[in-house]
Structures are given as C-alpha cells and as structure tokens.
Amino acid sequence: MSLNIRRARPGEAGLVLAFIRELAEYEKLSHEVEATEAMIAEALFSSNPQLYCAIAEWNCEPVGFAVWFVNFSTFSGRHGIYLEDLYVRPSYRGRGLGKALLVYLAKECVDNGWSRLQWAVLDWNAPSIEFYKSLGAAMMDDWTLCRVTGPALTRLAGSAT
C-alpha cells in the first residue's frame, strides 16, 4: 500500500469540488455549497492563486484533500496557513492520510518560516477533535469564530461610516 501527498493539478477542479461536496455532506452542510467547478479552477489555478490544495492518494487513487490559504499573524509578524478543509473518504480513514496531509502543511509552514498552522473544527466532531489533540493541536476555546454572509454582508457593506 502506498500513500502520496501532492499538489492538485490543473484539470482537477472537478475532483476538488467532489471532495468539497463529500465533506459538506459529512458535516450536514450540503445546502451551503455554492461553489462550481469553474470557481474552484479559478481559485486554485489562476495566474496568481490565493488558494492551494493537496491531494492524498492511496495506491494512486485520490482519496482525500486539504485546502488552505496563506494568512498573516500580526503578533508573530509572519505568515501562516489557514486550513479551510481537510477530508479523507470514510473507507480510507485510519490509514494515516489525515495526519499525512497535516504533516505536509506543517512542513510547508516550517520550510517557509511561517509561524502557525490553524483551522476550525465543528464542536460536535469528537473524533476529529481527539485526532487533532493527539497531534498537538490546542483547542482555542477562548476564541469565537465570527462570520458575516448573505444579506448581513450586503447590509454591512452598505452601512454608513
């Protein structure tokens, strides 16, 4: 059995979108997926991409992915990675693929002199929380994730200063 982690290639936006949809289904958030294959292709493979993707392969078959972007910590004065999505198909879990994807991203941080790798996890996802803790991740219980979308985003954008 062989494991390989590699960057997504042009022409694989459909594969990435399939993983996004599978993850959304697992998280009971399928109704929130608006992304199209063209949107994913543009984000990942434009001349100046701001989004990156690693594909986990098991015996040359794509079975998982990690999508991330570079962020910046004003406190450390350095960049880091924000992991937007991490997903391994259920039948391939327990083989070290999720860990291999996180190791890949940690190396990306270390190799670039970046200060952190961070992500969010749903509070009901106990198996993932325990997995992340086993790798040394600290749960940031004192922080609350904020999001403004849809009509609230439009209202905020139109607010007078």
Side-chain angles (χ1 to χ4, degrees), residues 45-160:
F45 307 116
S46 67
S47 61
N48 185 26
Q50 302 297 305
L51 186 71
Y52 306 94
C53 179
I55 303 292
E57 295 177 324
W58 188 259
N59 290 331
C60 301
E61 178 185 348
V63 296
F65 81 137
V67 174
W68 77 94
F69 55 88
V70 176
N71 63 8
F72 188 83
S73 167
T74 56
F75 287 13
S76 75
R78 294 183 289 164
H79 287 92
I81 286 178
Y82 186 86
L83 173 60
E84 181 65 24
D85 290 326
L86 176 72
Y87 176 75
V88 173
R89 289 184 169 145
S91 60
Y92 290 89
R93 293 181 188 157
R95 300 179 194 200
L97 296 161
K99 181 178 180 181
L101 285 162
L102 288 168
V103 167
Y104 179 91
L105 296 179
K107 286 178 144 183
E108 187 85 13
C109 285
V110 170
D111 291 349
N112 285 290
W114 297 343
S115 63
R116 65 172 99 171
L117 168 59
Q118 64 186 63
W119 63 92
V121 60
L122 292 167
D123 60 3
W124 58 260
N125 195 343
S128 292
I129 291 169
E130 289 309 309
F131 168 64
Y132 297 144
K133 284 180 178 179
S134 77
L135 298 177
M139 299 298 113
M140 307 291 288
D141 295 331
D142 49 342
W143 290 83
T144 299
L145 184 64
C146 299
R147 178 180 294 167
V148 181
T149 63
L153 181 62
T154 303
R155 278 193 307 277
L156 181 58
S159 297

